[in-house]
Amino acid sequence: MTPRTKPATLKDVAEAAGVSISTVSRVFSSPGRISPETSDRVREVARRLRFTPNVMARSLITGTSPNIGLVVPDISNPYMTTLLKAAQKVSRGHQTGIFVADTDDDADIEREVCEQFAQQSRGVILCAPRMTASHIRELSGIVPLVLVNRIVEGIPSVYTDSRSALRELLDELVEQGHRRVGYLPGPAGSWSNKQRARTVADRARALDIELVRLDPTDGTHADGVLAAEQVLALGITAVMAFDDVLAAGLVEGLRRRGKSVPEDVSVTGHDDILSELVHPGLTTVTGQSARVGQLAILRLLDSSGPVAGSGPEPGVLSDESVGVKATVVRRHSTAAPRTRSD
């Protein structure tokens, strides 16, 4: 037999698999519409024939880009990298690529990148955006948008809902005997930071304890290290940090000043991304970043064009704003405060 010299076509795969050309096309463009048995058979034949779907050609025919834009404020943050990996896994299943842009926490760069992505992608996932709500709505008029960890009326969004977990965490600190608790804030432009700070403050008032809002930060590990000095100067016995990055920095800052966690100061984080790399293990709140990333991709694919198998999932994708419930993860970074005789 003469070896094949031309690339395999849809027709070749269809004939070898005993299905129609349209069935082969749907296997690679909308896999949820085809039975698993047929899909597996077609993909096996395609591998044997070394057939590669031409996604660019398909995009020219359908007028839909095969790519999605993912915009993040800081790609070095483990929350964002975990979200990205989860989003990529879902997008691959739909023959969709992801363009990623890091904005360095700058609203102007964020807007510029989104406008660029609007020209070359089927939609944009905008993570923890710093832009104003009016700018976000303006962008939504030129490209399908899904927001992550930000709610803007009229724009689909997916966010980590940690309100009940934060209240539970503060309740436990109070039960341990803490009456002067600090909140170590994240970036000022972060919607999530505002929500967490408000939740903690409201619960502190209900419990009738003193909550000290520490100096603003950019959310870096170095900021957490520097915050240790203020924590000790103010006599705070427990700190709830905006996220694990700041919490890990605070633990290190206390160590450098000869203090230990939780013996001298209790520390909690948020996101559960560095918690087991910190000593002692960090009590924290799950960020659900992988689940948030998966749902954001599914929501965008659902809104930017018909993609079979992308949902909606019952009770999950039906509303514009979807909160993924977070839970407390208890480790060893909290304890009862020292008494005067300690």
Side-chain angles (χ1 to χ4, degrees), residues 226-268:
L226 292 175
E229 183 175 352
Q230 186 183 17
V231 169
L232 295 175
L234 293 174
I236 294 169
T237 62
V239 177
M240 298 179 70
F242 165 71
D243 66 6
D244 287 354
V245 174
L246 281 169
L250 177 58
V251 172
E252 173 61 16
L254 291 168
R255 186 194 66 79
R256 293 180 187 180
R257 289 164 176 78
K259 302 298 182 179
S260 61
V261 174
E263 289 77 12
D264 296 298
V265 180
S266 290
V267 177
T268 69

Side-chain angles (χ1 to χ4, degrees), residues 6 8 50 63 105 113 119 136 139 146 182 200 214 303 330:
K6 294 182 180 180
R50 298 182 180 178
D105 234 344
V113 166
Q119 305 302 316
I136 290 173
L139 281 168
V146 170
V200 173
L214 298 168
S303 65
R330 297 166 183 83

Side-chain angles (χ1 to χ4, degrees), residues 25-33 39 43 53 55 58 66 68 85-98 122 297-298 301 307-310:
S25 178
R26 283 196 294 270
V27 165
F28 293 101
S29 63
S30 302
R33 296 181 180 181
S39 180
R43 289 180 182 276
V55 293
R58 186 168 70 242
I68 284 173
K85 287 179 70 68
Q88 283 183 323
K89 186 174 182 180
V90 175
S91 69
R92 288 192 192 104
H94 295 284
Q95 301 297 310
T96 302
I98 293 182
R122 66 186 294 173
I297 283 286
L298 293 174
L301 292 174
V307 179
S310 65

Side-chain angles (χ1 to χ4, degrees), residues 2-210:
T2 303
R4 175 181 293 275
T5 58
K6 294 182 180 180
T9 65
L10 282 172
K11 182 179 179 181
D12 295 328
V13 176
E15 290 178 349
V19 297
S20 67
I21 293 176
S22 61
T23 296
V24 176
S25 178
R26 283 196 294 270
V27 165
F28 293 101
S29 63
S30 302
R33 296 181 180 181
I34 306 300
S35 71
E37 296 79 9
T38 300
S39 180
D40 290 344
R41 184 169 78 254
V42 169
R43 289 180 182 276
E44 175 57 33
V45 170
R47 280 193 292 270
R48 178 161 51 82
L49 297 181
R50 298 182 180 178
F51 168 77
T52 303
N54 190 334
V55 293
M56 292 307 296
R58 186 168 70 242
S59 70
L60 292 174
I61 295 171
T62 64
T64 303
S65 169
N67 299 305
I68 284 173
L70 181 72
V71 182
V72 300
D74 180 9
I75 195 63
S76 67
N77 187 303
Y79 179 96
M80 294 300 172
T81 53
T82 302
L83 183 150
L84 170 59
K85 287 179 70 68
Q88 283 183 323
K89 186 174 182 180
V90 175
S91 69
R92 288 192 192 104
H94 295 284
Q95 301 297 310
T96 302
I98 293 182
F99 295 141
V100 183
D102 183 324
T103 67
D104 285 329
D105 234 344
D106 187 303
D108 291 333
I109 295 176
E110 187 175 77
R111 187 177 185 184
E112 180 181 327
V113 166
C114 285
E115 289 173 349
Q116 292 171 348
F117 279 170
Q119 305 302 316
Q120 54 187 309
S121 64
R122 66 186 294 173
V124 173
I125 295 175
L126 193 48
C127 300
R130 306 313 193 213
M131 282 185 289
T132 64
S134 61
H135 283 159
I136 290 173
R137 290 194 185 96
E138 182 181 329
L139 281 168
S140 71
I142 61 175
V143 65
L145 279 183
V146 170
L147 306 182
V148 167
N149 288 336
R150 173 81 179 268
I151 293 179
V152 174
E153 187 177 355
I155 310 296
S157 62
V158 184
Y159 65 96
T160 300
D161 184 358
S162 55
R163 290 171 295 179
S164 63
L166 288 170
R167 289 191 288 264
E168 181 181 337
L169 198 51
L170 183 54
D171 287 353
E172 292 185 5
L173 290 172
V174 172
E175 289 171 4
Q176 289 173 344
H178 297 280
R179 292 296 180 272
R180 188 171 172 80
V181 177
Y183 176 73
L184 182 56
S190 165
W191 177 86
S192 293
N193 178 60
K194 293 182 179 71
Q195 300 306 306
R196 294 172 198 175
R198 182 181 300 120
T199 297
V200 173
D202 289 346
R203 190 58 179 171
R205 281 192 293 272
L207 295 171
D208 194 25
I209 64 162
E210 183 178 6

Side-chain angles (χ1 to χ4, degrees), residues 268-289:
T268 69
H270 194 295
D271 294 343
D272 199 21
I273 49 177
L274 296 175
S275 306
E276 294 184 335
L277 301 178
V278 179
H279 181 75
L282 195 62
T283 291
T284 188
V285 173
T286 56
Q288 300 284 15
S289 54

